[in-house]
Amino acid sequence: MNLISHQINSLNGEIICPGDKSISQRILIIGFLLNSRMEIKGFLDAEDPNSTLIALNGIGASIKKDNGLIYINKRDEHLKSPYKDLNLGNSGTGMRLIMGLISGLGINATLVGDQSLSNRPMSRVINPLKAMGAEIESNNGMAPIKILGSDICNNFHYQMPIASAQVKSCLILAALASNNSISIKEPKTTRDHTERMIEYFKGDIKYGDNQNKGLIKFNNEDLIPRESYDVVGDFSSASFIIVAALISPKSEIVIKNVGLNPTRNGLLKVLALMGGNIEIKNVKNICNEESGDIIVKSSNLNGIDISEDIIPNIIDEIPILCIAAAFAEGTTNIKNAAELRVKESDRINAMAEGLKKLNINYEVFDDGLSITGTNSFVDINEEINSYDDHRIAMSFLIAGIRSKNGIRVKNCKNIETSFPHFKDIMNSLGMKINE
Ligand code: S3P
């Protein structure tokens, strides 16, 4: 499905942020382990969380959707090694977290995914899981992944070579599912939804002090079930709306119930430094996650150097940050972000290729991009390739706001993995996106 996004004069209105993808996936897995009836509100009904849900039902979970709510019921008495492959579709989070869960449960399963997921690196979780006691076969470190039974050890310690919340969460889930303790040291702070959720269910998570920065200790103890869980809105989805309002003239929008976890909302700090007019109101704590309403007004942005430490906290927002940079005065430098090359697409190349078609000045590095923006409108006749990547597709559709004749983006179907109502929500605020 191709979409075209046209120039607009203003964006106005108020919307409710769709549910967080990372949290939706985690609450299904942790809910499965809690093995007690629980109702989930605010779940993101999109392809990635849904493939996680189907995979969990494939190993004996009883998770149902009804009227926008999710119900987790007690699971089958005997966990089953599924006779069918578990298909995680496009979801790296789904595959890596479920690898931890299956290894912890000690059952056998084969995990597969779509073409993009089948080309993403899985050794980052296979190696530590094997060191913990899992037997795993793969296609040269990629899917299909065969987990052939496991006997997970207690008190495993892992120093993560890369900053990845998926790796950290996979290992914590392997320990949790096998009733073992674990300690992990991460090189930079990554999103901490798994740790916060375990704390919410009264599990024992401790963090290292200043001498032991990045250390996370999970001490095996039974979690205590609760009857309900509320998923806050997805900051990553909100980021497309935020940048859209910043770069369009005469705009003022409100996004309600956006997740503001400090390990996720780095883009707010970056955009504030770039001169973005963004306000936060009504901050609340919902199920051990912060949420609030974000008010955004049109702004004249300026380019900045992005600091290395913030990269893991803006990793999914870098494509849309590139669009903000493309319409900012001066140069924005993004480095130390080589992880972008192993996302749903090679996001450094995908963004560079699109920016070239927009006639924006940029330079590409192995680990990032440097972008010099324009304060006028772009004129583009060529189609942009999204490389079947939701965040690339949405980023260039947002750029359409500042195009003279619209921007056509190829293969936008993948938006369904994280933000199924993107087109309708953006159009309700005043964008003009059509097929
Ligand atoms: C995620 C972690 C990040 C992020 C992904 C979701 C998660 O990946 O890019 O979209 O839910 O844990 P990495 O852990 O590979 O950085």
Side-chain angles (χ1 to χ4, degrees):
M1 189 212 356
N2 302 339
L3 289 173
I4 308 177
S5 164
H6 302 273
Q7 188 192 133
I8 52 161
N9 290 327
S10 67
L11 276 187
N12 284 290
E14 185 176 296
I15 60 120
I16 297 173
C17 188
D20 187 281
K21 179 154 80 79
S22 292
I23 297 177
S24 293
Q25 292 182 288
R26 283 160 170 79
I27 191 60
L28 293 178
I29 298 173
I30 291 185
F32 168 88
L33 288 171
L34 286 165
N35 198 20
S36 167
R37 188 174 165 84
M38 179 163 63
E39 180 184 293
I40 304 169
K41 289 190 203 120
F43 179 79
L44 176 70
D45 191 2
E47 283 176 7
D48 280 7
N50 285 336
S51 59
T52 298
L53 188 158
I54 293 165
L56 292 171
N57 280 344
I59 58 168
S62 171
I63 310 176
K64 296 201 169 65
K65 278 198 242 172
D66 188 15
N67 233 344
L69 296 175
I70 297 286
Y71 295 96
I72 304 191
N73 296 302
K74 269 179 100 73
R75 57 180 194 239
D76 295 352
E77 209 135 287
H78 298 290
L79 285 172
K80 28 179 199 204
S81 292
Y83 61 90
K84 276 210 243 158
D85 294 350
L86 302 178
N87 189 344
L88 279 312
N90 193 245
S91 179
T93 304
M95 182 166 282
R96 294 185 179 123
L97 268 53
I98 288 187
M99 283 172 69
L101 173 74
I102 303 264
S103 302
L105 295 173
I107 58 175
N108 299 359
T110 300
L111 279 66
V112 297
D114 69 6
Q115 205 189 348
S116 147
L117 186 54
S118 304
N119 282 299
R120 293 181 66 186
M122 294 297 147
S123 300
R124 54 182 63 197
V125 284
I126 295 174
N127 295 341
L129 283 173
K130 278 186 171 173
M132 285 174 86
E135 203 181 313
I136 302 177
E137 282 175 6
S138 69
N139 174 23
N140 271 326
M142 285 178 282
I145 305 287
K146 280 192 175 143
I147 303 175
L148 305 158
S150 315
D151 186 9
I152 298 295
C153 65
N154 197 14
N155 294 321
F156 183 69
H157 175 72
Y158 191 57
Q159 171 97 37
M160 294 204 306
I162 44 167
S164 163
Q166 292 179 355
V167 174
K168 172 176 67 173
S169 301
C170 163
L171 304 184
I172 295 177
L173 289 170
L176 179 64
S178 59
N179 297 317
N180 284 300
S181 300
I182 188 167
S183 60
I184 297 171
K185 193 155 181 189
E186 53 181 2
K188 289 200 182 76
T189 308
T190 66
R191 64 187 69 189
D192 62 0
H193 302 305
T194 306
E195 298 90 303
R196 282 171 180 260
M197 204 174 276
I198 288 175
E199 278 168 347
Y200 182 67
F201 293 107
K202 309 283 181 215
D204 183 0
I205 292 272
K206 290 201 175 63
Y207 299 94
D209 53 19
N210 263 349
Q211 269 92 54
N212 274 308
K213 254 187 148 180
L215 186 70
I216 299 139
K217 279 185 166 185
F218 167 67
N219 250 322
N220 170 43
E221 233 175 64
D222 281 348
L223 303 190
I224 301 173
R226 295 179 183 247
E227 283 175 5
S228 65
Y229 185 91
D230 271 22
V231 179
V232 297
D234 198 319
F235 181 80
S236 302
S237 298
S239 68
F240 295 101
I241 312 171
I242 296 171
V243 172
L246 291 174
I247 66 166
S248 54
K250 292 187 242 140
S251 294
E252 177 164 355
I253 55 120
V254 180
I255 320 168
K256 301 198 85 145
N257 189 32
V258 185
L260 292 173
N261 181 320
T263 62
R264 280 292 291 287
N265 71 5
L267 187 73
L268 289 180
K269 289 183 206 116
V270 170
L271 292 173
L273 288 171
M274 291 175 80
N277 187 339
I278 305 173
E279 228 186 296
I280 297 171
K281 282 198 175 146
N282 299 329
V283 176
K284 296 181 205 139
N285 184 302
I286 299 179
C287 299
N288 208 24
E289 291 281 351
E290 260 169 54
S291 99
D293 301 340
I294 300 187
I295 300 129
V296 193
K297 294 183 187 153
S298 317
S299 305
N300 293 323
L301 300 176
N302 50 270
I304 60 163
D305 290 341
I306 310 291
S307 76
E308 178 176 351
D309 275 351
I310 209 165
I311 294 292
N313 309 137
I314 61 168
I315 195 73
D316 289 346
E317 288 68 66
I318 294 177
I320 191 63
L321 171 60
C322 291
I323 300 302
F327 298 107
E329 204 181 312
T331 302
T332 298
N333 291 307
I334 305 166
K335 297 272 288 165
N336 305 293
E339 276 294 298
L340 290 176
R341 295 209 180 266
V342 289
K343 295 292 177 191
E344 286 84 326
S345 69
D346 176 339
R347 288 184 172 158
I348 295 180
N349 273 356
M351 287 311 297
E353 192 186 294
L355 290 172
K356 186 173 188 181
K357 291 183 178 166
L358 262 54
N359 276 320
I360 298 287
N361 290 325
Y362 68 91
E363 212 182 317
V364 184
F365 312 108
D366 286 348
D367 64 346
L369 296 138
S370 143
I371 299 165
T372 303
T374 170
N375 56 13
S376 67
F377 285 73
V378 291
D379 198 355
I380 159 173
N381 296 312
E382 282 176 275
E383 207 170 53
I384 305 264
N385 193 344
S386 71
Y387 288 94
D388 269 334
D389 181 331
H390 53 140
R391 300 200 198 281
I392 302 297
M394 290 187 278
S395 297
F396 283 105
L397 288 169
I398 297 298
I401 292 175
R402 294 280 289 265
S403 66
K404 287 188 184 146
N405 302 310
I407 294 183
R408 176 190 279 273
V409 183
K410 217 163 83 178
N411 292 342
C412 295
K413 169 100 184 58
N414 195 270
I415 293 175
E416 307 266 330
T417 59
S418 69
F419 197 165
H421 301 295
F422 173 77
K423 171 166 126 336
D424 297 338
I425 288 182
M426 295 318 297
N427 285 349
S428 77
L429 293 171
M431 274 193 78
K432 286 189 195 139
I433 304 176
N434 57 270
E435 283 184 33

